[in-house]
Amino acid sequence: MKNDQQPQDEIEDQDYELNFYDLLEGITDKIDSISQRIEEHKEDSRQRWQRTKGEVDEQKRLLKIQLEKRVQILSENLKKPDFIRTRDKITFTVGVANTCFSPLIAGQWPHLLPIVYTIQALFLITLRFFIYKHKHWHYFIYDLCYYANLLTLIYIWILPTSEILFSVCYTLAHGPLAVAIILWRNSLVFHSFDKVTSIFIHMYPPLTMFTLRWLVPIEHQIKHYPAIINVGSTLPVGRTILYTILFYSIWQALYFIFIVYGRRDKVQSGSRVTSYTWLLNDKKGFVARLVDKVGFAESDNEINIYKVLFYFLLQFAYMLISILPVCLWYYRYKYINAIFLCSVFAVSVYNGASFYIEVFSRQYIKSLELLQGWENSGVDKSSSSTHQSSKTESHKINEQNKKQS
């Protein structure tokens, strides 16, 4: 019995081992099948992704080509004489309307002038940045005049209770910004968008601060601009000059770090234009001639660090001199302040008249002469062609008469 039972047990053990190995083999096959399916799925996903990526790249390429064509067509249309004339007419109309309505708003509804200034500043300065960016002139946007406009907007809408910021905005607006119209010979040329924008940047901040100081009712000042009430009828000269120098120094330090030092390679190569390179390279200008007299000029005419630092020193002296009358007279006396602003605006109008009479009129006369010459040449060509055709026709008639005879 024991001998019979032992083979039986061995057979059962073999069946058990066989079933166990079959199970392991089945599991292995299942795992291999699943792995194969996963790999196939990965391969299909990879192929689909590559195919989708290729289609997306092709669509991007086609879209880029279409966009470049549209930009090219738009740029060509922008250069057409009809578009340029229409653009200049619109700019002229808007410029004249703005010049007429701004004093009206300041006198009749002075509380609305900061809103008008803000809307125009956001639109004009933003548009100028993109235009200058295209011309590689956008480093001009980091100049002091734009910094003063930014401070004015911050005072109006964010910190109207700050006496320090109000004093700084008033001095910078009536000092460096307004006087720059005279020194930079800004001209009120209504059909030129660039010149109108320059006048706005230098003229509208002092007009806005003048309106807030003198024309806005006291009740509105107390509610919306309490810093004006807290400062009182006079600016503390020493403290105001100190705060103005502090804010000016912040701008000058940032300008030196990010433009003079940070972008020195682009500026020195000439691929970017800045205000200081513009003035230092203008050999007929006051700044360049003064630099030459001091002895910073070099034979290779390069702009070195000594020229730049001397220019910054001149600019600081100009800022300091221009803010003194603001603290002493403009803020204290309404009519002196008004006479100053009217005088600055009159200078811009005179510069604009000089441009129209001396520059624009010559260009206009030249264009008329060219047009007249073209028309005369067209008449001469038409008359000569008519005379030639009449001679040809008479010759044909004579030939026919000879044949008939």
Side-chain angles (χ1 to χ4, degrees), residues 216-235:
V216 171
I218 297 179
E219 297 80 9
H220 195 81
Q221 290 180 350
I222 295 173
K223 184 177 180 180
H224 297 282
Y225 308 103
I228 302 175
I229 302 299
N230 297 331
V231 169
S233 59
T234 58
L235 286 175

Side-chain angles (χ1 to χ4, degrees), residues 4-22:
D4 293 338
Q5 187 175 1
Q6 184 174 2
Q8 185 72 23
D9 293 338
E10 291 178 355
I11 292 171
E12 290 179 356
D13 291 338
Q14 291 177 357
D15 292 340
Y16 175 76
E17 290 177 358
L18 182 62
N19 291 334
F20 177 74
Y21 285 122
D22 289 341

Side-chain angles (χ1 to χ4, degrees), residues 67-79:
L67 184 60
E68 289 177 352
K69 288 182 178 178
R70 291 182 180 180
V71 170
Q72 184 178 1
I73 293 172
L74 179 61
S75 61
E76 291 177 355
N77 290 332
L78 293 178
K79 295 177 182 178

Side-chain angles (χ1 to χ4, degrees), residues 297-321:
E298 295 181 351
S299 59
D300 54 1
N301 292 326
E302 290 184 356
I303 298 178
N304 53 39
I305 189 64
Y306 300 106
K307 283 185 179 182
V308 176
L309 293 178
F310 184 72
Y311 168 76
F312 287 162
L313 181 63
L314 287 177
Q315 194 174 36
F316 176 79
Y318 155 70
M319 181 275 302
L320 197 60
I321 294 172

